[in-house]
Amino acid sequence: MNPLHHKTKAKCIAAILVFYLAAFFTLSLVYEVREAHHSCQGEQCPICHQIQNLERVREQFSSSAGEVSIFFWTFVSILAISLHQTIEIFTKTPVQLHVRLNH
């Protein structure tokens, strides 16, 4: 496999992950700002519960030494490796697969 092609794929995967993280942080902040002055229903308020969940998830993403971050990066690494192996299998040429083409 071409090393340049591999680097391009890795950069594309990294860009997608950065996009998803940026979208999560942006959209969760927009949700919090929009619902900041909602009519609270007390302890059972679903909006307050959702805001607390978003804050917890943001804290887990922010701490690079946390267990959740380690699990997340392990999962992403395994996913990236398996994706790379799958792509490599399906993008081999007949020459790389040692296929005889004479009739």
Side-chain angles (χ1 to χ4, degrees):
M1 180 174 243
N2 186 359
L4 184 61
H5 190 62
H6 176 66
K7 287 181 182 179
T8 305
K9 286 181 185 177
K11 287 180 182 179
C12 182
I13 290 172
I16 290 170
L17 288 175
V18 167
F19 172 76
Y20 281 133
L21 286 174
F24 168 76
F25 281 105
T26 304
L27 292 175
S28 66
L29 182 65
V30 167
Y31 179 78
E32 276 191 53
V33 168
R34 197 178 105 216
E35 298 295 337
H37 299 292
H38 69 280
S39 57
C40 189
Q41 301 170 2
E43 286 186 27
Q44 300 298 326
C45 182
I47 296 173
C48 291
H49 181 69
Q50 186 65 31
I51 290 173
Q52 289 172 356
N53 285 339
L54 288 173
E55 288 174 355
R56 230 177 293 134
V57 171
R58 270 200 317 264
E59 287 174 8
Q60 290 173 346
F61 275 125
S62 297
S63 65
S64 61
E67 293 176 12
V68 173
S69 295
I70 292 170
F71 173 76
F72 175 74
W73 289 114
T74 304
F75 176 75
V76 168
S77 299
I78 291 170
L79 182 66
I81 290 169
S82 63
L83 180 64
H84 171 68
Q85 294 296 329
T86 304
I87 290 173
E88 191 173 300
I89 289 170
F90 288 112
T91 57
K92 286 188 175 183
T93 65
V95 174
Q96 291 172 331
L97 294 173
H98 304 289
V99 175
R100 285 186 69 170
L101 297 176
N102 50 347
H103 299 279

